[in-house]
Amino acid sequence: MANETNIFQELISHCKEYGYIFQSSEIYDGLAAVYDYGQNGAQLKKNIRDEWWKSMTQFHDNIVGIDAAIFMHPTTWKASGHVDNFSDPMIDNKDSNKRYRVDHLLEGFSEDQKALGNDALANEIIQAMDALLATNDFAGLKKLIEDNKIKCAVSKTCNWTDVREFNLMFSTQIGSVAEESETIYLRPETAQGIFVNFLNVQKTGRMKIPFGIAQTGKAFRNEIVARQFIFRMREFEQMEMQFFVRPGTQMEWYSFWKAERKKWHESMGIPAAKLRYHNHVKLAHYADAALDIEFEFPFGWKELEGIHSRTDFDLKQHQEYSKKKIQYFDNDLNPEGKPFGNYVPYVVETSVGLDRLFLTILSLAYVNEHWTKEDGTEDSRVVLKIPAKIAPTKLAILPLVKKDGLPEIARALMEDCKTAFHCFYEEKDAIGKRYRRMDAIGTPFCVTIDHQTKEDNMVTIRYRDNMTQERIPLSSVKQLVLEKIQ
Ligand code: GAP
């Protein structure tokens, strides 16, 4: 684990050094749990988002995509239950004033016990915590913390406040005059923008159940314990799809999406052995089944995506709070030969964090390789083995020297390829150094134009993952890359 922690720290530094991720407002010492994506990170993030969007809205002919606003009418969040229920039990240390999420504090303690070989105590803590959380027994949670003498990481004392609820939504004011302004929230999930538009999309798109509405976009949560880099952020992006189904068929669709989403992650290059399902024992108030697809991050198995059978809870709540009928008329015939008629559809949701998927892909891609060369000397490189179809830059075009007409040939290739995929042109430094830089940002193909190219119109293509090289016709470069990034 210590080694994996080191590798994770190396990955974080690498992300900064190579323009993937920067701490937000770094020049002012940063803002906790908020990050900016740099030139390579933004492109990778867009490529992942595009793959998801394509897989949902293009590969499924019964799913359409929307882009709802971040700001929504405040009643939305009353109806959805977020104003009353979107909170976590917190506890403050009276000496340091540091606030902790109770479950994180107990989980951290349990992990420490595991590392010390006290597996029985570690498991006992988690079981007790789950039982107390399920019954909202806050006094019991405090007692569990005190009985185990769990200390604050800052003050090292066990001087705790009572356990209290803390809402995770950020709020702000809308309206220019203070007296007329109204409190609105920054959405904590994108799903509600889909629910409130259910009828708009169903009617204008003449959608027939079962059908889905997909959306990607920012969500905001005032996470108290925001650790592990971009794993848990205060501003993040979700890719969600709500699938509307006939009541009574939700379990079929839940199983379908459970399998379908895992398969999709595998298609993104994530090995099956690094993915697993985790069924929720304690269900949210709106769900009749829920699970996480977990990934084995460098810091352990953690949730990557949630699959939730949300029943008709959300649509019914919006119907009640808006006083507008939200129903669907199903004219398919039931076993008695009559139309199924009017009903509020049930919903199966798939919800994955784009940033979390980004971290998944980068933690798999990051490799620090060492090997012995034929002459016996040691060599090494840091490489991002990002799947070619989502790599930020697909092809580096490198004239061997910046004279003798080689840059002209390289520029012409660049002009030809750049309309089809993202290319990068570079003529400075020795070729080996340029290859290493391309490895570090994850460029899957490099093409070198040398003096021989002028004679035979052949170039050297170098493959990032195994560093092999071959001579191919200059005229075939674009097609070869296009085939490899499918
Ligand atoms: N609409 C359902 C929903 O929002 P969730 O389990 O709270 O469910 C779904 O969130 C996904 O969003 C998670 O599986 C995770 O990938 C991502 N996510 C949630 N909170 C996050 C945070 N603070 N930072 C980054 N990603 C987060």
Side-chain angles (χ1 to χ4, degrees):
M1 199 64 180
N3 189 34
E4 300 210 322
T5 309
N6 291 345
I7 291 176
F8 189 52
Q9 289 309 321
E10 278 176 28
L11 172 65
I12 296 173
S13 310
H14 190 88
C15 280
K16 183 178 171 193
E17 195 178 339
Y18 288 95
Y20 270 87
I21 297 173
F22 309 123
Q23 175 80 59
S24 161
S25 338
E26 195 189 355
I27 57 165
Y28 295 106
D29 296 333
L31 184 64
V34 186
Y35 291 90
D36 297 339
Y37 286 80
Q39 63 278 23
N40 292 315
Q43 187 64 52
L44 174 60
K45 193 174 169 198
K46 180 182 182 306
N47 294 349
I48 299 172
R49 189 194 296 114
D50 288 350
E51 283 297 314
W52 182 88
W53 185 261
K54 192 165 70 179
S55 80
M56 284 294 177
T57 65
Q58 193 176 319
F59 298 171
H60 294 101
D61 51 16
N62 58 352
I63 300 180
V64 291
I66 64 163
D67 182 12
I70 287 171
F71 290 149
M72 299 183 72
H73 192 285
T75 310
T76 309
W77 306 109
K78 194 77 196 141
S80 68
H82 284 82
V83 171
D84 297 324
N85 296 319
F86 195 54
S87 51
D88 282 321
M90 303 285 179
I91 195 163
D92 293 10
N93 182 273
K94 288 184 197 163
D95 299 320
S96 67
N97 290 326
K98 196 168 158 44
R99 179 167 290 168
Y100 294 85
R101 254 178 73 169
V102 167
D103 56 336
H104 289 171
L105 190 64
L106 287 162
E107 275 167 9
F109 178 74
S110 164
E111 271 165 33
D112 291 347
Q113 292 307 310
K114 238 187 212 148
L116 294 170
N118 301 333
D119 282 18
L121 177 61
N123 295 336
E124 210 176 282
I125 295 283
I126 298 297
Q127 275 167 17
M129 177 185 79
D130 283 348
L132 294 165
L133 283 172
T135 52
N136 281 334
D137 184 348
F138 291 173
L141 285 163
K142 183 180 181 188
K143 190 165 177 312
L144 186 64
I145 291 169
E146 286 176 341
D147 286 353
N148 285 284
K149 302 192 173 46
I150 301 178
K151 295 194 176 87
C152 164
V154 177
S155 68
K156 313 281 182 220
T157 68
C158 198
N159 191 9
W160 298 105
T161 62
D162 285 342
V163 173
R164 286 169 297 189
E165 293 271 358
F166 183 87
N167 196 293
L168 298 181
M169 281 196 294
F170 284 104
S171 62
T172 185
Q173 303 300 122
I174 200 161
S176 50
V177 189
E179 309 82 69
E180 289 171 12
S181 69
E182 194 174 9
T183 297
I184 55 164
Y185 298 100
L186 274 73
R187 64 180 178 199
E189 64 171 10
T190 58
Q192 299 303 325
I194 294 178
F195 291 127
V196 299
N197 278 299
F198 168 75
L199 278 185
N200 286 336
V201 176
Q202 189 272 317
K203 292 217 157 94
T204 56
R206 293 182 296 121
M207 307 301 291
K208 217 171 140 22
I209 271 180
F211 74 91
I213 305 178
Q215 161 161 242
T216 71
K218 288 277 175 118
F220 305 84
R221 296 182 189 179
N222 197 358
E223 300 282 5
I224 292 303
V225 183
R227 279 176 301 177
Q228 288 146 344
F229 196 34
I230 58 168
F231 179 80
R232 186 169 280 111
M233 299 155 89
R234 298 204 163 104
E235 174 179 343
F236 57 101
E237 199 165 331
Q238 288 187 315
M239 306 193 287
E240 298 199 297
M241 193 277 298
Q242 312 294 321
F243 200 70
F244 299 94
V245 305
R246 191 178 290 150
T249 63
Q250 70 272 21
M251 281 307 142
E252 254 167 69
W253 288 109
Y254 177 71
S255 303
F256 172 84
W257 284 109
K258 170 181 166 179
E260 188 77 2
R261 293 303 301 147
K262 185 159 174 285
K263 249 193 295 175
W264 183 77
H265 287 297
E266 289 168 26
S267 79
M268 294 292 284
I270 306 173
K274 289 254 175 195
L275 293 167
R276 72 177 187 194
Y277 295 119
H278 168 78
N279 291 319
H280 287 200
V281 184
K282 187 190 168 205
L283 293 174
H285 56 284
Y286 52 75
D288 64 359
L291 63 87
D292 298 334
I293 298 178
E294 292 187 338
F295 171 71
E296 192 178 15
F297 286 94
F299 40 83
W301 287 95
K302 300 271 176 202
E303 172 182 351
L304 169 62
E305 170 152 10
I307 314 286
H308 311 126
S309 175
R310 291 181 77 129
T311 68
D312 55 1
F313 175 83
D314 301 88
L315 290 182
K316 273 206 171 137
Q317 286 291 102
H318 289 305
Q319 184 168 257
E320 190 186 321
Y321 277 78
S322 68
K323 304 196 172 48
K324 310 244 163 54
K325 222 173 185 177
I326 306 182
Q327 292 203 350
Y328 172 81
F329 184 77
D330 189 338
N331 52 17
D332 279 0
L333 301 182
N334 64 21
E336 285 130 47
K338 295 192 186 121
F340 280 98
N342 273 315
Y343 56 78
V344 178
Y346 269 48
V347 174
V348 175
E349 166 184 73
T350 72
S351 174
V352 59
L354 174 52
D355 313 86
R356 228 172 249 195
L357 184 53
F358 182 109
L359 181 59
T360 300
I361 286 167
L362 269 201
S363 55
L364 284 168
Y366 181 86
V367 191
N368 196 338
E369 290 181 342
H370 296 262
W371 67 94
T372 309
K373 292 195 290 190
E374 273 174 16
D375 64 5
T377 57
E378 298 296 310
D379 209 349
S380 68
R381 66 168 183 161
V382 172
V383 53
L384 291 182
K385 294 186 175 175
I386 301 168
K389 71 174 173 183
I390 51 170
T393 302
K394 312 295 187 204
L395 176 69
I397 301 174
L398 316 170
L400 190 64
V401 290
K402 43 181 172 181
K403 55 183 184 181
D404 305 336
L406 303 189
E408 286 74 8
I409 301 173
R411 287 277 180 205
L413 179 64
M414 177 89 183
E415 284 307 303
D416 185 32
C417 290
K418 75 180 188 192
T419 52
F421 44 81
H422 193 264
C423 309
F424 179 78
Y425 176 90
E426 196 176 36
E427 55 187 28
K428 274 192 235 83
D429 289 332
I431 197 71
K433 226 174 179 181
R434 281 184 268 169
Y435 284 157
R436 286 291 188 275
R437 275 203 293 267
M438 288 300 110
D439 287 344
I441 64 163
T443 306
F445 311 104
C446 292
V447 148
T448 305
I449 288 96
D450 56 24
H451 292 94
Q452 189 65 27
T453 309
K454 290 207 294 185
E455 311 288 318
D456 58 8
N457 279 320
M458 301 286 277
V459 292
T460 301
I461 186 158
R462 174 193 184 265
Y463 299 98
R464 174 197 68 196
D465 292 353
N466 53 13
M467 294 188 282
T468 54
Q469 302 185 6
E470 60 177 331
R471 294 293 281 181
I472 60 165
L474 176 62
S475 59
S476 69
V477 171
K478 184 176 175 183
Q479 192 53 33
L480 182 143
V481 175
L482 278 173
E483 279 162 21
K484 303 256 184 206
I485 61 176
Q486 284 307 310

